[in-house]
């Protein structure tokens, strides 16, 4: 299966992605109680992938580069897309810009697989 590549990602954008993934994961964690088994398994998988994404973004933020290429597995890209599509978060205008920008890029690349 192909990878999803995000190129020339600025360090500030990586920080926004990292924060948004954490907030999304935390929101999912609070909804785990009382779910049907299939929904429960989907939420657990998404939380696990979100944590891996958070670690990936953390490694990038700790680097010294100004721009990065982020290579995502399809499951990671789909999880990041779900995070950006999530409306449960009041985002700043800059966070909205980053979410919209990468939502479009990820969506297009996933559709072209």
């Amino acid at each position: 299966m192909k990878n999803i590549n995000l190129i020339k990602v600025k360090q500030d954008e990586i920080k926004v992605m990292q924060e948004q993934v954490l907030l999304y994961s935390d929101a999912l964690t609070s909804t785990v109680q009382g779910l049907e088994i299939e929904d429960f398994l989907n939420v657990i998988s998404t939380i696990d992938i979100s944590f891996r994404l958070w670690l990936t973004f953390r490694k990038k933020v700790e680097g010294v580069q100004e721009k990065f290429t982020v290579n995502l597995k399809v499951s990671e890209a789909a999880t990041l897309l779900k995070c950006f599509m999530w409306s449960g978060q009041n985002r700043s205008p800059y966070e909205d810009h980053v979410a919209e920008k990468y939502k479009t890029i990820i969506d297009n690349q996933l559709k072209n697989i």
Side-chain angles (χ1 to χ4, degrees), residues 10-89:
K10 298 175 191 169
Q11 191 168 27
D12 288 348
E13 294 172 332
I14 296 274
K15 288 178 184 178
V16 168
M17 290 181 198
Q18 182 183 23
E19 180 183 347
Q20 293 299 308
V21 145
L22 179 62
L23 293 171
Y24 182 63
S25 177
D26 288 346
L28 288 177
T29 301
S30 67
T31 66
V32 171
Q33 297 288 331
L35 293 176
E36 296 291 326
I37 188 67
E38 188 172 329
D39 293 333
F40 174 77
L41 295 174
N42 286 334
V43 167
I44 293 299
S45 297
T46 301
I47 291 170
D48 182 55
I49 293 167
S50 295
F51 181 70
R52 281 188 282 144
L53 282 170
W54 186 86
L55 287 175
T56 299
F57 295 145
R58 179 178 177 178
K59 290 175 187 175
K60 299 276 187 196
V61 168
E62 291 174 351
V64 293
Q65 291 177 287
E66 290 182 28
K67 293 189 178 180
F68 303 90
T69 297
V70 180
N71 300 311
L72 301 171
K73 296 176 184 175
V74 172
S75 61
E76 293 170 335
T79 300
L80 190 56
L81 180 61
K82 287 186 343 184
C83 173
F84 289 151
M85 293 172 60
W86 175 53
S87 62
Q89 169 65 19

Side-chain angles (χ1 to χ4, degrees), residues 2 107-113:
K2 287 181 133 184
D107 182 54
N108 287 335
Q109 288 190 41
L110 285 173
K111 286 178 180 173
N112 289 327
I113 290 182

